[in-house]
């Protein structure tokens, strides 16, 4: 980075608060009291992010008489659910190309289920009057290098051949820059229907309020410490009491699972984002972002960006930081060197916004698995269900995961539980030092691929052959 560009990027960060913009909200609800004493219920849900809240809500919608308790180790939505970009996607497979590579025979069904899932999220937002700035704007995958143009065009043609291109539109350079103007844009594929933009923290808080309204008992600042069989049900110990439940659903995602054998299937990857101050009318006109789509560039080390209800731009991604040993540590939530890199890249994308400052800079861990999309299962003779490994798709796919967990706990055999995607597992990550070495080599190879016109080296081709990967 040139010294002048570095100084300009650094100045833009001078007043950025080290907290998620979404969580820095005076309307944030007060936490529910912690559990003190013992509780008994039909269903215990562990985790107060999207996964747990959707599970508790849908459980009550399916059976209003079901007695449901939810415990959360901190406050609802404080982790990934309150720190993400607010892209709520229909895709359950981390995009069409990943789905084609892994489940070609059932991709049409997965696309259908994903579209229905997104429709159900939109319906729930309306039904429970959740004020989360939900906008069905779609998302544009952007090419910023010539080889990415060919890759996106090829993907669009393949989707059309398979009858999966409804609602998608190819945009050439001029058409794309008429939607959002950046000198780096060469073309893009606009999924008009399959992605919504929203305020992620407000969605969490709205789901919490809806759960309480249906009679779910929520205890915050209540960690589940261990899980054990207890007669015909399960018992979970917490710091100040226990919960005895007939069934348990685990929505803890990146946090160490109470079912220890599934821990090797996920690793934490730290992702970082910036939020600008509100754009002036002149700045908005300079970039022409009228239709408010989400955007993501097509590099291996990619950026995601979107415009908020109050005319700020969220700019995140690129760096994906894996801590040695996969240990979660609040110190990893902030990384100034990444913030500086992101700021410089932002002004490369939008030079017409020079002088704009960032108001917030933050990071957090994503639960990443080797197939880039969630996996599911049961333990303790079917009395415990889990869904994990959402790898950046948690805003939308967690609701589908909630349905799957409840199907598994209720013994329902149907279109979800019969899916190969649901019945199979990803490859687990190896122990250290092999995990760190493999991830570091993969990150280096991905960056090299971006710099060499998309050419994938032998390491990446080997990972492709075995269906493994690591993504920014």
């Amino acid at each position: 980075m040139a010294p002048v560009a570095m100084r300009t990027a650094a100045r833009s960060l001078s007043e950025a608060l080290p907290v998620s913009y979404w969580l820095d909200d005076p309307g944030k609800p007060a936490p529910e009291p912690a559990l003190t004493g013992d509780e008994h219920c039909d269903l215990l849900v562990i985790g107060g992010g999207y996964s747990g809240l959707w599970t508790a809500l849908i459980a009550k919608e399916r059976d209003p008489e079901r007695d449901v308790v939810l415990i959360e180790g901190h406050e609802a939505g404080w982790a990934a659910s309150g720190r993400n970009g607010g892209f709520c996607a229909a895709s359950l497979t981390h995009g069409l190309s990943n789905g084609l590579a892994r489940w070609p025979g059932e991709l049409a069904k997965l696309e259908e289920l994903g579209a229905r899932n997104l429709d159900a999220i939109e319906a729930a937002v309306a039904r429970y009057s959740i004020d989360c700035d939900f906008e069905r704007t779609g998302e544009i995958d952007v090419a910023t290098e010539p080889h990415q143009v060919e890759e996106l065009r090829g993907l669009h043609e393949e989707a059309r051949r398979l009858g999966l291109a409804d609602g998608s539109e190819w945009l050439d350079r001029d058409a794309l820059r008429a939607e959002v103007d950046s000198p780096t844009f060469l073309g893009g594929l606009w999924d008009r229907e399959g992605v919504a933009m929203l305020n992620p923290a407000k969605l969490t808080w709205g789901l919490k309020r809806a759960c309480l309204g249906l009679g779910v008992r929520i205890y915050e600042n209540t960690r589940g410490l261990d899980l054990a069989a207890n007669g015909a049900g399960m018992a979970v110990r917490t710091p100040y009491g226990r919960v005895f439940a007939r069934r348990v659903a685990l929505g803890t995602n990146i946090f160490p699972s109470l079912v220890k054998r599934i821990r090797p299937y996920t690793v934490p990857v730290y992702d970082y984002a910036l939020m600008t101050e509100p754009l002036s009318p002149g700045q908005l006109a300079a970039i022409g972002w009228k239709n408010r789509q989400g955007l993501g560039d097509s590099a291996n080390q990619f950026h995601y960006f979107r415009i908020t209800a109050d005319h700020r731009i969220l700019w995140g991604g690129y760096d994906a930081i894996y801590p040695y040993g996969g240990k979660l540590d609040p110190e990893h939530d902030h990384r100034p060197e990444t913030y500086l890199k992101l700021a410089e890249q932002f002004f490369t994308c939008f030079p017409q916004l020079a002088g704009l400052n960032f108001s917030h800079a933050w990071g957090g861990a994503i639960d990443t698995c080797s197939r880039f999309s969630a996996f599911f299962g049961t333990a303790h003779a079917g009395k415990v269900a889990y869904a994990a490994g959402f790898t950046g798709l948690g805003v939308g796919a967690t609701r589908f995961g909630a349905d799957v967990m409840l199907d598994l706990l209720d013994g329902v055999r149907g279109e979800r539980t019969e899916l190969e995607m649901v019945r199979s597992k990803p490859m687990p990550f190896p122990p250290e030092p092999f995990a760190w070495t493999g991830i570091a080599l993969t990150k280096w190879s991905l960056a090299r691929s971006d710099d060499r016109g998309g050419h994938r080296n032998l390491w990446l081709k080997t990972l492709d052959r075995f269906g493994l990967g690591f993504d920014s």
Side-chain angles (χ1 to χ4, degrees):
M1 187 188 304
V4 173
M6 183 179 292
R7 286 197 297 273
T8 300
R11 281 197 297 269
S12 72
L13 294 163
S14 63
E15 297 183 11
L17 298 176
V19 63
S20 165
Y21 166 77
W22 313 114
L23 296 174
D24 185 25
D25 186 333
K28 176 183 174 182
E32 296 297 303
L35 173 66
T36 55
D38 291 349
E39 266 281 19
H40 294 78
C41 59
D42 296 323
L43 173 66
L44 170 64
V45 179
I46 302 179
Y50 296 134
S51 189
L53 290 166
W54 280 119
T55 302
L57 184 70
I58 296 171
K60 291 295 283 185
E61 289 178 337
R62 289 188 182 190
D63 180 2
E65 299 304 313
R66 181 159 23 192
D67 189 22
V68 180
V69 168
L70 183 149
I71 62 173
E72 159 57 41
H74 190 48
E75 295 181 25
W78 76 279
S81 296
R83 305 189 199 190
N84 63 81
F87 287 62
C88 186
S91 177
L92 304 175
T93 63
H94 213 111
L96 193 64
S97 58
N98 194 50
L100 281 169
R102 299 183 189 280
W103 303 287
E106 62 185 28
L107 184 58
K109 172 55 72 173
L110 287 166
E111 291 287 292
E112 176 198 339
L113 289 170
R116 282 160 46 188
N117 183 65
L118 181 57
D119 289 343
I121 292 172
E122 184 172 15
V125 166
R127 183 164 62 253
Y128 295 107
S129 301
I130 298 175
D131 180 16
C132 64
D133 303 325
F134 187 100
E135 299 179 275
R136 198 79 170 254
T137 60
E139 179 181 3
I140 304 175
D141 289 330
V142 175
T144 58
E145 297 289 343
H147 73 273
Q148 296 168 10
V149 174
E150 296 309 310
E151 289 169 1
L152 284 178
R153 276 188 177 278
L155 181 62
H156 189 224
E157 289 302 315
E158 181 71 359
R160 290 177 61 183
R161 186 182 69 79
L162 296 171
L164 300 174
D166 289 350
S168 68
E169 178 184 351
W170 172 255
L171 303 174
D172 64 19
R173 177 182 177 276
D174 291 340
L176 175 56
R177 292 188 63 173
E179 292 294 332
V180 185
D181 190 13
S182 167
T184 66
F185 292 175
L186 303 180
L189 186 56
W190 185 359
D191 179 356
R192 287 179 169 270
E193 301 173 1
V195 184
M197 297 292 109
L198 52 77
N199 180 313
K202 285 185 176 181
L203 174 60
T204 308
W205 300 334
L207 291 173
K208 173 184 168 182
R209 178 172 53 82
C211 285
L212 290 169
L214 293 183
V216 176
R217 300 194 298 288
I218 296 177
Y219 298 97
E220 293 178 273
N221 294 301
T222 301
R223 281 186 61 206
L225 300 176
D226 56 47
L227 175 71
N230 181 69
M234 302 298 299
V236 173
R237 183 171 59 90
T238 74
Y240 307 126
R242 294 171 298 174
V243 184
F244 300 95
R246 292 181 58 250
R247 298 288 184 268
V248 177
L250 299 177
T252 49
N253 293 301
I254 195 51
F255 297 96
S257 177
L258 294 182
V259 177
K260 293 181 181 179
R261 63 180 165 81
I262 70 169
R263 292 181 184 180
Y265 289 98
T266 62
V267 295
V269 173
Y270 281 82
D271 180 56
Y272 300 91
L274 306 176
M275 185 71 83
T276 72
E277 62 190 358
L279 274 66
S280 69
Q283 289 168 326
L284 285 169
I287 58 174
W289 202 341
K290 302 183 198 68
N291 290 316
R292 307 180 56 79
Q293 311 95 328
L295 288 94
D297 63 53
S298 301
N300 292 308
Q301 292 184 285
F302 65 91
H303 304 89
Y304 55 88
F305 41 117
R306 48 81 55 99
I307 196 160
T308 66
D310 58 349
H311 309 305
R312 301 168 184 262
I313 295 176
L314 178 142
W315 177 265
Y318 190 78
D319 267 346
I321 305 301
Y322 169 71
Y324 186 86
K327 294 196 185 213
L328 295 167
D329 188 332
E331 287 192 6
H332 300 318
D333 289 349
H334 298 287
R335 198 166 188 267
E337 58 266 45
T338 294
Y339 299 152
L340 187 61
K341 189 183 299 180
L342 285 172
E344 193 270 339
Q345 292 163 340
F346 175 86
F347 292 114
T348 298
C349 182
F350 293 120
Q352 61 269 56
L353 298 181
L356 188 67
N357 292 318
F358 295 100
S359 62
H360 296 76
W362 71 95
I366 296 171
D367 63 324
T368 298
C369 74
S370 62
R371 73 182 193 186
F372 301 139
S373 51
F375 62 92
F376 317 89
T378 62
H380 292 276
K383 292 180 288 189
V384 176
Y386 56 83
F390 288 93
T391 316
L393 287 181
V395 183
T398 45
R399 189 194 174 281
F400 175 80
D403 264 329
V404 171
M405 284 195 286
L406 291 170
D407 286 349
L408 294 172
L409 291 174
D410 292 341
V412 173
R413 294 176 63 88
E415 59 182 354
R416 286 182 290 262
T417 56
E418 293 301 312
L419 290 168
E420 181 188 351
M421 178 193 182
V422 170
R423 292 184 289 106
S424 64
K425 293 282 190 301
M427 286 284 289
F429 289 93
E432 298 294 10
F434 304 106
W436 189 90
T437 302
I439 290 171
L441 178 57
T442 303
K443 286 182 60 180
W444 177 84
S445 299
L446 289 171
R448 188 172 173 82
S449 174
D450 286 337
D451 292 338
R452 299 178 65 196
H455 173 74
R456 296 176 75 80
N457 63 16
L458 181 61
W459 175 254
L460 293 179
K461 289 177 180 177
T462 301
L463 293 181
D464 293 342
R465 191 173 304 120
F466 287 98
L468 302 174
F470 184 84
D471 202 349
S472 71

